[in-house]
């Protein structure tokens, strides 16, 4: 499957891949694009709530990953939501006053 690209800005949780989108992921690349501020990143999968089924749940791939100014982080992992109802989410947290911004490439 082709790569997907995201420009993430701000401190709100954002969905990168919706549950049930039939995606297989082998890596994610994060680049801090703010020139004057570091940030921390939470990346997690979350199971979609199904009435009468298994309880939903949040599982962190990483939490509080520190991204210095202008740095790039590449994480190799296998995530397959073709059979399970998990979505992939990201949350940025600023370390100073500037709004965090990260480019994300998912392969």
């Amino acid at each position: 499957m082709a790569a997907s690209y995201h420009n993430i800005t701000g401190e709100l949780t954002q969905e990168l891949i919706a549950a049930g989108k039939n995606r297989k992921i082998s890596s994610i690349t994060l680049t801090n694009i703010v020139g004057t501020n570091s940030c921390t990143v939470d990346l997690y999968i979350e199971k979609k709530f199904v009435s009468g089924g298994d309880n939903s749940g949040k599982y962190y791939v990483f939490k509080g990953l520190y991204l210095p100014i202008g740095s790039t982080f590449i994480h190799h992992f296998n995530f397959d939501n073709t059979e399970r109802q998990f979505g992939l989410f990201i949350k940025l947290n600023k370390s100073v006053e500037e709004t965090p911004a990260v480019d994300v490439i998912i392969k």
Side-chain angles (χ1 to χ4, degrees):
M1 178 162 283
S4 60
Y5 305 90
H6 306 269
N7 302 111
I8 308 297
T9 302
E11 294 183 276
L12 299 174
T13 299
Q14 297 191 30
E15 185 176 57
L16 297 173
I17 298 175
K21 285 295 182 181
N22 199 23
R23 289 286 311 266
K24 292 182 181 181
I25 298 169
S26 61
S27 70
I28 187 164
T29 302
L30 307 169
T31 301
N32 183 348
I33 59 171
V34 175
T36 58
N37 196 17
S38 60
C39 69
T40 60
V41 179
D42 299 338
L43 183 76
Y44 61 91
I45 60 173
E46 188 168 13
K47 188 172 184 181
K48 180 179 175 182
F49 178 77
V50 178
S51 179
D54 293 338
N55 292 332
S56 60
K58 184 184 293 186
Y59 305 94
Y60 284 90
V61 177
F62 45 80
K63 183 172 178 60
L65 174 73
Y66 178 72
L67 275 180
I69 298 165
S71 67
T72 297
F73 175 78
I74 301 171
H75 183 67
H76 297 281
F77 73 112
N78 291 319
F79 171 64
D80 180 352
N81 77 346
T82 57
E83 295 179 21
R84 305 194 88 170
Q85 295 298 311
F86 283 91
L88 182 66
F89 296 85
I90 191 169
K91 178 158 185 349
L92 306 182
N93 304 288
K94 64 183 173 185
S95 61
V96 189
E97 291 301 315
E98 194 170 7
T99 302
V102 172
D103 282 346
V104 179
I105 301 172
I106 300 172
K107 293 182 180 180

